[in-house]
Amino acid sequence: LLAAGVYFSSDASSHRSAAEPDGDDARAVLRNAAGEQVGVVKFSQEDDGVHVKVKLDAPLATLPAGYHGFHVHATGTCTADASLAESTWFTSAGGHYKDADAAHAYHGAHNGDLPIVLVNDDGAGRGVAEARFVTDRFDVDDIVGRGLIVHKVADNYRNVPLGADARQYTPNTDNVNDSATATGFTAATGNAGSRMACGVIEG
């Protein structure tokens, strides 16, 4: 599903010239629940889509080595209390950003669904990552003021996960809107787990 809307690119020939304005650029500073800066993500509007540059540098307690779900969320509010359960962190950012016709446009994927990010252990207690990709799922103007979240585990891209509770293990309904079931839960969140870092996308 993801390949239909997001692709990787290292070709610089399609970038705007230096003479063109960069008013469509935006960035988000990511912070963990303790308020520590753990990453910066930059968005640039180009002819072939939005170019995204990701740089993460976080304590392993925030971002352990492995793949992490990465999404634009609907609301640009990042509120967390590190003394509370991680399941409560950054819920203020709402659900994944999607337009009014997301199911039609992306076969059920959300506009805000981005490629998973691979974090590496730097050997000194920190998880680090750098990534670049291009997406045509939104324009920069569509996401300014929204939240950007890095999750605890990987997005499963609507593959029903294995697990113990009623929202996992079996696709016990075809209703993607029923979040009490495995089908609905994974359609809504990708089963990416807790929200470990959050930033507001600013133009």
Side-chain angles (χ1 to χ4, degrees):
L1 291 174
L2 192 67
V6 180
Y7 56 96
F8 291 89
S9 172
S10 59
D11 179 8
S13 63
S14 62
H15 292 193
R16 285 193 307 263
S17 71
E20 293 181 78
D22 62 354
D24 288 336
D25 291 357
R27 72 196 297 263
V29 175
L30 296 168
R31 298 184 184 276
N32 62 15
E36 302 168 321
Q37 180 174 324
V38 297
V40 176
V41 181
K42 297 179 180 180
F43 301 87
S44 178
Q45 187 75 53
E46 308 287 353
D47 291 340
D48 58 342
V50 176
H51 289 233
V52 185
K53 296 168 67 174
V54 182
K55 187 169 185 178
L56 303 177
D57 184 349
L60 288 172
T62 296
L63 295 177
Y67 290 102
H68 293 265
F70 184 47
H71 312 108
V72 177
H73 281 243
T75 305
T77 306
C78 293
T79 303
D81 183 340
S83 68
L84 298 179
E86 66 182 32
S87 61
T88 68
W89 297 348
F90 306 121
T91 56
S92 56
H96 297 182
Y97 162 56
K98 57 183 177 180
D99 65 21
D101 197 23
H104 173 73
Y106 299 112
H107 307 287
H110 302 138
N111 302 71
D113 290 354
L114 300 173
I116 54 178
V117 175
L118 176 60
V119 172
N120 293 294
D121 184 340
D122 74 347
R126 300 190 70 81
V128 296
E130 291 192 27
R132 296 187 182 200
F133 57 88
V134 180
T135 180
D136 64 358
R137 293 188 171 197
F138 50 75
D139 290 335
V140 169
D141 287 345
D142 297 328
I143 61 169
V144 169
R146 300 188 186 278
L148 188 67
I149 296 284
V150 182
H151 288 262
K152 186 173 185 176
V153 295
D155 190 312
N156 67 15
Y157 300 121
R158 299 192 70 181
N159 291 310
V160 174
L162 298 179
D165 69 37
R167 296 186 306 185
Q168 301 184 43
Y169 190 65
T170 57
N172 42 21
T173 178
D174 290 329
N175 182 4
V176 297
N177 297 312
D178 184 355
S179 61
T181 68
T183 303
F185 184 58
T186 195
T189 71
N191 202 43
S194 298
R195 303 172 183 199
M196 305 305 289
C198 181
V200 178
I201 301 168
E202 298 179 336

